[in-house]
Amino acid sequence: MGGSEQARAGPARVVTVSATYGSGGGLIAPALATRLGLPFADRLIPALGGPQPAGQGEQLTEEERLASQRTSFLDRLAHLTGGLGLPVPTGDDLGDDVRQQVERSVCAIAAGAGGVILGRAAMVVLAGHPMAYHVRLDGPEDRRCARAMALEGIDEATARDRMAETDRARAKYFSRIYGRDAADVTLYHLVLDSTALPIDACVRVIVDAATAFWGDR
């Protein structure tokens, strides 16, 4: 499907991709955008097409890192002040600005030319969008670790440390901002074990599924 087809009248076509560490989201999502002729927006910055450096899509965004740090701080604060009757700020108190900023960027993509969006909880933000197809990439920890080692050129111990930190931080971010579990399969149209297939095969599966979903809409 080329970009000229995307330019036709009607709601923009969007694919949201939620990917755990080591599942290859940083390679699959931009390749998917290229195949579909759509702009690509990664976890870190909006970009037009073209793959990012290997492993970049595995990294935490600043929002995800801060959410994890703040949640840990709030937990400690609640423990310290719990018996003193003092008000303790909640995740919502600290997350509104972040949430609004991220949601504006996601909605702008959907309202414009559409695109493939990696991360940013876009499957929740665009849950009611009629042309948004939601994909989850995951896999067993051992295979995700092996893929991360290959993509980032790191040893097993480093990969496992990064996987634990990243998965934990993303779970906290998603829970704090949206009160949901990112692993909830009801958030997605397609859940794919991307560690069981080559990258290009994963892209083909998603392209076929998304194209069938869109149909003549």
Coordinates of all heavy atoms in Angstrom, one line a residue, residues 70-159:
R70 N 8.7 8.6 40.2 CA 7.7 9.3 41.0 C 6.8 8.3 41.8 O 6.4 8.6 42.9 CB 6.9 10.2 40.2 CG 7.6 11.5 39.7 CD 6.8 12.2 38.7 NE 7.5 13.5 38.3 CZ 7.1 14.3 37.3 NH1 6.0 14.0 36.6 NH2 7.8 15.4 37.0
T71 N 6.5 7.2 41.1 CA 5.6 6.2 41.8 C 6.4 5.6 43.0 O 5.8 5.5 44.1 CB 5.3 5.1 40.8 OG1 4.5 5.6 39.7 CG2 4.4 4.0 41.5
S72 N 7.7 5.4 42.8 CA 8.4 4.9 44.0 C 8.5 5.9 45.1 O 8.4 5.5 46.3 CB 9.9 4.5 43.5 OG 9.8 3.5 42.5
F73 N 8.6 7.2 44.7 CA 8.7 8.2 45.7 C 7.3 8.3 46.4 O 7.3 8.4 47.7 CB 9.0 9.6 45.0 CG 8.8 10.8 45.9 CD1 9.6 11.1 46.9 CD2 7.7 11.6 45.7 CE1 9.4 12.1 47.8 CE2 7.4 12.7 46.5 CZ 8.3 13.0 47.6
L74 N 6.2 8.2 45.7 CA 4.9 8.3 46.3 C 4.7 7.2 47.3 O 4.1 7.3 48.3 CB 3.8 8.4 45.2 CG 3.7 9.6 44.4 CD1 2.7 9.5 43.3 CD2 3.5 10.9 45.3
D75 N 5.1 6.0 46.9 CA 5.0 4.8 47.7 C 5.7 5.0 49.1 O 5.2 4.7 50.1 CB 5.5 3.6 47.1 CG 4.6 3.1 45.9 OD1 3.5 3.5 45.8 OD2 5.1 2.3 45.1
R76 N 6.9 5.6 49.0 CA 7.7 5.8 50.2 C 7.0 6.9 51.0 O 7.0 6.8 52.3 CB 9.1 6.2 49.9 CG 9.9 5.1 49.2 CD 11.4 5.4 49.2 NE 11.7 6.6 48.5 CZ 12.0 6.6 47.2 NH1 12.0 5.5 46.5 NH2 12.3 7.8 46.5
L77 N 6.5 8.0 50.4 CA 5.9 9.1 51.1 C 4.6 8.6 51.8 O 4.4 9.0 52.9 CB 5.6 10.2 50.1 CG 5.0 11.5 50.7 CD1 6.0 12.1 51.7 CD2 4.7 12.5 49.6
A78 N 3.8 7.8 51.1 CA 2.6 7.3 51.7 C 2.9 6.5 53.0 O 2.2 6.5 54.0 CB 1.8 6.5 50.7
H79 N 4.0 5.7 52.9 CA 4.4 4.9 54.0 C 4.8 5.7 55.2 O 4.4 5.5 56.4 CB 5.5 3.9 53.6 CG 6.1 3.1 54.8 ND1 5.4 2.0 55.3 CD2 7.2 3.2 55.5 CE1 6.1 1.5 56.3 NE2 7.2 2.2 56.4
L80 N 5.6 6.8 54.9 CA 6.1 7.7 56.0 C 5.0 8.5 56.6 O 5.1 8.8 57.8 CB 7.2 8.6 55.4 CG 8.5 7.9 55.0 CD1 9.4 8.9 54.3 CD2 9.2 7.3 56.2
T81 N 4.0 8.9 55.8 CA 3.0 9.9 56.4 C 1.7 9.2 56.6 O 0.7 9.9 57.1 CB 2.8 11.0 55.4 OG1 2.3 10.5 54.2 CG2 4.1 11.8 55.1
G82 N 1.6 7.9 56.4 CA 0.3 7.3 56.5 C -0.4 7.4 57.9 O -1.6 7.5 57.9
G83 N 0.4 7.5 58.9 CA -0.2 7.6 60.3 C -0.3 9.0 60.8 O -0.7 9.2 61.9
L84 N 0.0 10.0 59.9 CA 0.1 11.4 60.4 C -1.1 12.2 59.9 O -1.3 13.4 60.2 CB 1.3 12.1 59.9 CG 2.7 11.4 60.4 CD1 3.8 12.1 59.8 CD2 2.7 11.4 61.9
G85 N -2.0 11.6 59.1 CA -3.1 12.3 58.5 C -2.8 13.3 57.5 O -3.6 14.3 57.3
L86 N -1.6 13.3 56.9 CA -1.2 14.3 55.9 C -1.7 13.8 54.5 O -1.6 12.6 54.2 CB 0.3 14.4 55.9 CG 0.9 14.9 57.3 CD1 2.4 15.0 57.2 CD2 0.4 16.3 57.6
P87 N -2.1 14.8 53.7 CA -2.5 14.4 52.3 C -1.2 13.9 51.5 O -0.2 14.5 51.6 CB -3.1 15.7 51.8 CG -2.4 16.8 52.6 CD -2.2 16.2 53.9
V88 N -1.4 12.9 50.8 CA -0.3 12.4 49.9 C -0.7 12.5 48.5 O -1.8 12.1 48.1 CB 0.0 10.9 50.3 CG1 1.0 10.4 49.4 CG2 0.4 10.7 51.7
P89 N 0.1 13.2 47.7 CA -0.3 13.3 46.2 C -0.4 11.9 45.6 O 0.3 11.0 46.0 CB 0.9 14.1 45.7 CG 2.1 13.9 46.6 CD 1.4 13.7 48.0
T90 N -1.3 11.8 44.6 CA -1.5 10.6 43.9 C -0.8 10.6 42.6 O -0.3 11.7 42.1 CB -2.9 10.3 43.7 OG1 -3.5 11.3 42.8 CG2 -3.7 10.4 45.0
G91 N -0.8 9.5 41.9 CA -0.2 9.4 40.6 C -0.9 10.4 39.6 O -0.3 11.0 38.8
D92 N -2.2 10.5 39.8 CA -3.0 11.5 38.9 C -2.5 12.9 39.1 O -2.5 13.7 38.1 CB -4.5 11.4 39.2 CG -5.1 10.0 38.7 OD1 -4.4 9.4 37.8 OD2 -6.1 9.7 39.2
D93 N -2.2 13.2 40.3 CA -1.7 14.6 40.6 C -0.5 15.0 39.8 O -0.3 16.1 39.4 CB -1.4 14.8 42.1 CG -2.7 14.7 43.0 OD1 -3.7 15.0 42.5 OD2 -2.5 14.2 44.1
L94 N 0.4 14.0 39.6 CA 1.6 14.2 38.9 C 1.6 13.9 37.5 O 2.5 14.2 36.7 CB 2.8 13.4 39.6 CG 3.1 13.7 41.0 CD1 4.1 12.8 41.6 CD2 3.6 15.2 41.2
G95 N 0.5 13.2 37.0 CA 0.5 12.6 35.7 C -0.3 13.4 34.7 O -0.2 13.1 33.5
D96 N -1.1 14.4 35.1 CA -2.0 15.1 34.2 C -1.3 15.8 33.1 O -1.7 15.7 31.9 CB -2.9 16.1 34.9 CG -4.0 15.4 35.8 OD1 -4.2 14.2 35.5 OD2 -4.6 16.0 36.6
D97 N -0.3 16.5 33.4 CA 0.5 17.3 32.3 C 1.1 16.3 31.3 O 1.0 16.6 30.1 CB 1.5 18.2 33.0 CG 0.9 19.3 33.7 OD1 -0.2 19.6 33.5 OD2 1.7 20.0 34.5
V98 N 1.7 15.3 31.8 CA 2.3 14.3 31.0 C 1.3 13.6 30.1 O 1.5 13.5 28.8 CB 3.1 13.2 31.8 CG1 3.5 12.1 30.9 CG2 4.3 13.8 32.5
R99 N 0.2 13.2 30.7 CA -0.8 12.6 29.9 C -1.4 13.5 28.8 O -1.5 13.0 27.7 CB -2.0 12.2 30.9 CG -3.2 11.5 30.2 CD -4.2 11.0 31.2 NE -5.3 10.5 30.6 CZ -6.2 9.7 31.2 NH1 -6.1 9.5 32.5 NH2 -7.3 9.3 30.6
Q100 N -1.7 14.7 29.1 CA -2.2 15.6 28.1 C -1.2 15.9 27.0 O -1.6 15.9 25.8 CB -2.6 17.0 28.8 CG -3.8 16.8 29.8 CD -4.0 18.1 30.6 OE1 -3.4 19.1 30.4 NE2 -4.9 18.0 31.6
Q101 N 0.0 16.0 27.3 CA 1.0 16.3 26.3 C 1.1 15.1 25.3 O 1.2 15.3 24.1 CB 2.4 16.6 26.9 CG 3.5 16.8 25.9 CD 4.8 17.1 26.6 OE1 4.9 17.0 27.8 NE2 5.9 17.3 25.8
V102 N 1.2 13.9 25.9 CA 1.3 12.7 25.1 C 0.1 12.5 24.2 O 0.1 12.2 23.0 CB 1.6 11.5 26.0 CG1 1.5 10.2 25.1 CG2 3.0 11.6 26.6
E103 N -1.1 12.7 24.9 CA -2.3 12.4 24.1 C -2.5 13.4 23.0 O -3.0 13.1 21.9 CB -3.5 12.5 25.1 CG -3.6 11.3 26.0 CD -4.8 11.3 26.9 OE1 -5.6 12.3 26.8 OE2 -5.1 10.3 27.6
R104 N -2.1 14.7 23.2 CA -2.2 15.7 22.1 C -1.3 15.2 20.9 O -1.8 15.3 19.8 CB -1.7 17.0 22.6 CG -2.7 17.8 23.4 CD -2.4 19.3 23.5 NE -1.1 19.5 24.2 CZ -1.1 19.7 25.5 NH1 -2.2 19.7 26.2 NH2 0.1 19.9 26.1
S105 N -0.1 14.7 21.2 CA 0.7 14.3 20.1 C 0.2 13.1 19.3 O 0.2 13.0 18.1 CB 2.1 14.0 20.6 OG 2.1 12.8 21.4
V106 N -0.4 12.1 20.1 CA -1.0 11.0 19.5 C -2.2 11.3 18.6 O -2.4 10.9 17.5 CB -1.4 9.9 20.5 CG1 -2.2 8.8 19.9 CG2 -0.1 9.3 21.2
C107 N -3.1 12.2 19.2 CA -4.3 12.6 18.5 C -4.0 13.4 17.3 O -4.7 13.3 16.2 CB -5.2 13.4 19.4 SG -6.0 12.4 20.7
A108 N -2.9 14.2 17.3 CA -2.5 15.0 16.1 C -2.1 14.1 15.0 O -2.4 14.4 13.8 CB -1.4 15.9 16.5
I109 N -1.5 13.0 15.3 CA -1.1 12.0 14.3 C -2.3 11.4 13.6 O -2.5 11.3 12.4 CB -0.2 10.9 14.8 CG1 1.2 11.5 15.2 CG2 0.0 9.8 13.8 CD1 2.0 10.6 16.0
A110 N -3.3 11.0 14.5 CA -4.5 10.3 14.0 C -5.4 11.3 13.2 O -6.1 10.9 12.3 CB -5.3 9.8 15.2
A111 N -5.3 12.6 13.6 CA -6.2 13.6 12.9 C -5.5 14.1 11.6 O -6.2 14.7 10.8 CB -6.4 14.8 13.8
G112 N -4.2 13.8 11.5 CA -3.5 14.2 10.3 C -3.4 13.1 9.2 O -4.4 12.5 8.8
A113 N -2.2 12.7 8.9 CA -1.9 11.7 7.9 C -2.0 10.3 8.4 O -1.9 9.4 7.6 CB -0.6 12.0 7.2
G114 N -2.2 10.1 9.7 CA -2.2 8.8 10.3 C -0.7 8.4 10.5 O 0.2 9.2 10.4
G115 N -0.5 7.1 10.8 CA 0.8 6.7 11.0 C 0.9 5.4 11.8 O -0.1 4.8 12.3
V116 N 2.1 5.0 12.0 CA 2.4 3.8 12.9 C 3.1 4.4 14.2 O 4.1 5.1 14.1 CB 3.4 2.8 12.3 CG1 3.8 1.7 13.3 CG2 2.7 2.2 11.1
I117 N 2.4 4.2 15.3 CA 2.9 4.8 16.6 C 3.4 3.7 17.5 O 2.6 2.8 17.9 CB 1.7 5.6 17.3 CG1 1.1 6.6 16.3 CG2 2.2 6.3 18.5 CD1 -0.2 7.2 16.9
L118 N 4.6 3.8 17.9 CA 5.2 2.9 18.8 C 5.2 3.5 20.2 O 5.7 4.5 20.5 CB 6.7 2.6 18.4 CG 7.5 1.7 19.4 CD1 6.9 0.3 19.5 CD2 9.0 1.7 18.9
G119 N 4.5 2.7 21.1 CA 4.4 3.1 22.5 C 3.4 4.3 22.7 O 2.4 4.4 22.0
R120 N 3.7 5.1 23.7 CA 2.9 6.3 24.1 C 1.5 5.9 24.5 O 0.6 6.7 24.5 CB 2.8 7.2 22.9 CG 4.2 7.8 22.4 CD 4.7 8.8 23.4 NE 6.0 9.3 23.0 CZ 6.6 10.3 23.7 NH1 6.1 10.8 24.8 NH2 7.8 10.7 23.3
A121 N 1.2 4.6 24.9 CA -0.1 4.2 25.3 C -1.2 4.6 24.3 O -2.3 4.8 24.6 CB -0.5 4.8 26.7
A122 N -0.8 4.6 23.0 CA -1.6 5.0 21.9 C -2.8 4.1 21.7 O -3.9 4.6 21.3 CB -0.8 5.1 20.6
M123 N -2.8 2.9 22.1 CA -3.9 2.0 22.0 C -5.1 2.4 22.9 O -6.2 2.1 22.6 CB -3.5 0.5 22.2 CG -3.2 0.2 23.7 SD -1.6 0.8 24.2 CE -1.2 -0.2 25.6
V124 N -4.7 3.1 24.0 CA -5.8 3.6 24.9 C -6.3 4.9 24.4 O -7.5 5.2 24.4 CB -5.2 3.7 26.4 CG1 -6.3 4.4 27.3 CG2 -4.9 2.4 26.9
V125 N -5.4 5.8 24.0 CA -5.7 7.1 23.6 C -6.7 7.0 22.3 O -7.6 7.8 22.2 CB -4.5 7.9 23.2 CG1 -4.9 9.3 22.7 CG2 -3.6 8.1 24.4
L126 N -6.4 6.1 21.5 CA -7.1 5.9 20.2 C -8.1 4.7 20.2 O -8.4 4.2 19.2 CB -6.2 5.8 19.0 CG -5.2 7.0 18.8 CD1 -4.3 6.7 17.6 CD2 -6.0 8.3 18.6
A127 N -8.5 4.3 21.4 CA -9.3 3.1 21.6 C -10.6 3.2 20.8 O -11.1 2.2 20.3 CB -9.6 2.9 23.0
G128 N -11.2 4.4 20.6 CA -12.4 4.6 19.9 C -12.2 5.0 18.4 O -13.3 5.2 17.7
H129 N -11.0 5.1 18.0 CA -10.8 5.5 16.6 C -11.1 4.4 15.6 O -10.6 3.3 15.7 CB -9.3 5.9 16.4 CG -9.0 6.7 15.2 ND1 -9.0 6.1 13.9 CD2 -8.6 8.0 15.0 CE1 -8.7 7.0 13.0 NE2 -8.5 8.1 13.6
P130 N -12.0 4.6 14.7 CA -12.5 3.5 13.8 C -11.4 3.0 12.9 O -11.6 1.8 12.4 CB -13.6 4.2 13.0 CG -13.2 5.6 13.0 CD -12.6 5.9 14.3
M131 N -10.3 3.7 12.7 CA -9.3 3.2 11.7 C -8.0 2.9 12.4 O -6.9 2.8 11.8 CB -9.0 4.3 10.6 CG -10.3 4.5 9.8 SD -10.8 3.1 8.8 CE -9.6 3.2 7.5
A132 N -8.0 2.8 13.8 CA -6.8 2.5 14.5 C -6.7 1.0 14.8 O -7.7 0.5 15.4 CB -6.7 3.3 15.8
Y133 N -5.7 0.4 14.4 CA -5.5 -1.1 14.6 C -4.4 -1.2 15.6 O -3.3 -0.7 15.5 CB -5.1 -1.8 13.3 CG -5.0 -3.3 13.4 CD1 -6.2 -4.0 13.4 CD2 -3.8 -4.0 13.4 CE1 -6.2 -5.4 13.5 CE2 -3.8 -5.3 13.5 CZ -5.0 -6.0 13.5 OH -5.0 -7.4 13.6
H134 N -4.7 -2.0 16.7 CA -3.8 -2.0 17.9 C -3.1 -3.4 18.0 O -3.8 -4.4 18.0 CB -4.7 -1.8 19.1 CG -5.5 -0.5 19.1 ND1 -4.9 0.7 18.9 CD2 -6.9 -0.3 19.1 CE1 -5.9 1.6 18.9 NE2 -7.1 1.0 19.0
V135 N -1.8 -3.3 18.1 CA -0.9 -4.5 18.1 C -0.1 -4.5 19.3 O 0.4 -3.5 19.8 CB 0.0 -4.5 16.9 CG1 0.9 -5.7 16.9 CG2 -0.8 -4.4 15.6
R136 N 0.1 -5.7 19.9 CA 1.0 -5.9 21.1 C 2.0 -6.9 20.7 O 1.7 -8.0 20.1 CB 0.1 -6.5 22.2 CG 1.0 -7.0 23.4 CD 1.5 -5.9 24.3 NE 2.0 -6.4 25.6 CZ 2.6 -5.6 26.5 NH1 2.7 -4.3 26.2 NH2 3.0 -6.1 27.6
L137 N 3.3 -6.6 20.8 CA 4.4 -7.4 20.6 C 5.0 -7.9 21.9 O 5.3 -7.1 22.8 CB 5.5 -6.7 19.8 CG 5.1 -6.1 18.5 CD1 6.3 -5.4 17.8 CD2 4.5 -7.2 17.5
D138 N 5.2 -9.2 22.1 CA 5.7 -9.7 23.3 C 6.5 -11.0 23.0 O 6.7 -11.4 21.9 CB 4.6 -9.9 24.3 CG 5.0 -9.9 25.8 OD1 6.3 -10.0 26.0 OD2 4.2 -10.0 26.7
G139 N 6.8 -11.8 24.1 CA 7.4 -13.1 23.9 C 8.0 -13.5 25.2 O 8.1 -12.7 26.2
P140 N 8.4 -14.8 25.3 CA 9.1 -15.3 26.5 C 10.3 -14.5 26.9 O 11.0 -14.0 26.0 CB 9.4 -16.8 26.2 CG 8.5 -17.1 25.0 CD 8.3 -15.8 24.3
E141 N 10.6 -14.4 28.2 CA 11.7 -13.6 28.6 C 13.1 -14.1 28.0 O 13.9 -13.2 27.6 CB 11.8 -13.6 30.1 CG 10.7 -12.8 30.8 CD 11.0 -12.6 32.3 OE1 12.0 -13.1 32.8 OE2 10.1 -12.0 32.9
D142 N 13.3 -15.4 27.9 CA 14.5 -15.9 27.4 C 14.8 -15.4 25.9 O 15.9 -15.0 25.6 CB 14.6 -17.4 27.5 CG 14.8 -17.9 28.9 OD1 15.2 -17.1 29.8 OD2 14.7 -19.1 29.1
R143 N 13.7 -15.5 25.1 CA 13.8 -15.1 23.7 C 13.9 -13.6 23.6 O 14.6 -13.1 22.7 CB 12.7 -15.7 22.9 CG 12.7 -17.2 22.7 CD 12.1 -17.7 21.5 NE 10.6 -17.4 21.4 CZ 9.7 -18.3 21.7 NH1 10.1 -19.5 22.1 NH2 8.4 -18.0 21.6
R144 N 13.2 -12.9 24.4 CA 13.4 -11.4 24.4 C 14.8 -11.0 24.8 O 15.4 -10.1 24.2 CB 12.3 -10.8 25.3 CG 10.9 -10.8 24.8 CD 10.0 -9.9 25.5 NE 9.6 -10.2 26.8 CZ 9.7 -9.4 27.9 NH1 10.2 -8.2 27.7 NH2 9.4 -9.8 29.1
C145 N 15.3 -11.7 25.8 CA 16.7 -11.4 26.2 C 17.7 -11.6 25.1 O 18.6 -10.8 24.8 CB 17.0 -12.2 27.4 SG 18.7 -12.0 28.0
A146 N 17.5 -12.8 24.4 CA 18.4 -13.1 23.3 C 18.3 -12.1 22.2 O 19.3 -11.7 21.6 CB 18.1 -14.5 22.8
R147 N 17.1 -11.6 21.9 CA 16.9 -10.6 20.8 C 17.6 -9.3 21.2 O 18.2 -8.6 20.4 CB 15.5 -10.5 20.4 CG 15.2 -9.4 19.4 CD 13.9 -9.5 18.7 NE 13.9 -10.6 17.7 CZ 12.8 -11.0 17.0 NH1 11.7 -10.4 17.3 NH2 12.9 -11.9 16.2
A148 N 17.4 -8.9 22.4 CA 18.0 -7.7 22.9 C 19.5 -7.7 22.9 O 20.2 -6.7 22.5 CB 17.5 -7.4 24.4
M149 N 20.1 -8.9 23.2 CA 21.5 -9.0 23.1 C 22.0 -8.8 21.7 O 23.0 -8.2 21.4 CB 21.9 -10.4 23.6 CG 21.7 -10.6 25.1 SD 21.8 -12.4 25.6 CE 23.5 -12.8 25.1
A150 N 21.3 -9.4 20.7 CA 21.7 -9.3 19.3 C 21.5 -7.8 18.8 O 22.3 -7.3 18.1 CB 20.8 -10.2 18.5
L151 N 20.4 -7.2 19.2 CA 20.1 -5.9 18.7 C 21.0 -4.8 19.3 O 21.4 -3.9 18.6 CB 18.6 -5.5 19.0 CG 17.5 -6.2 18.3 CD1 16.2 -5.7 18.7 CD2 17.7 -6.0 16.7
E152 N 21.3 -4.9 20.5 CA 22.1 -3.9 21.2 C 23.5 -4.3 21.4 O 24.3 -3.4 21.9 CB 21.4 -3.6 22.6 CG 20.0 -3.1 22.5 CD 19.4 -2.8 23.8 OE1 20.1 -2.3 24.7 OE2 18.2 -2.9 24.0
G153 N 23.9 -5.5 21.1 CA 25.3 -5.9 21.2 C 25.8 -5.9 22.7 O 26.9 -5.4 23.0
I154 N 24.9 -6.5 23.6 CA 25.2 -6.5 25.0 C 25.2 -7.9 25.5 O 24.7 -8.8 24.8 CB 24.2 -5.7 25.8 CG1 22.7 -6.2 25.5 CG2 24.3 -4.2 25.5 CD1 21.6 -5.5 26.2
D155 N 25.8 -8.1 26.7 CA 25.8 -9.5 27.2 C 24.5 -9.8 27.9 O 23.6 -9.0 28.1 CB 27.0 -9.7 28.2 CG 27.0 -8.8 29.4 OD1 25.9 -8.3 29.8 OD2 28.0 -8.5 29.9
E156 N 24.4 -11.1 28.3 CA 23.1 -11.6 28.9 C 22.7 -10.9 30.2 O 21.6 -10.5 30.4 CB 23.1 -13.1 29.1 CG 21.8 -13.6 29.6 CD 21.8 -15.1 29.8 OE1 22.8 -15.8 29.3 OE2 20.8 -15.7 30.3
A157 N 23.7 -10.7 31.0 CA 23.4 -10.0 32.3 C 22.9 -8.6 32.1 O 21.9 -8.2 32.8 CB 24.7 -10.0 33.2
T158 N 23.5 -7.9 31.2 CA 23.1 -6.5 30.9 C 21.7 -6.5 30.3 O 20.8 -5.7 30.7 CB 24.1 -5.8 30.0 OG1 25.4 -5.8 30.5 CG2 23.6 -4.4 29.7
A159 N 21.4 -7.4 29.4 CA 20.1 -7.5 28.7 C 19.0 -7.8 29.8 O 17.9 -7.2 29.7 CB 20.1 -8.6 27.6

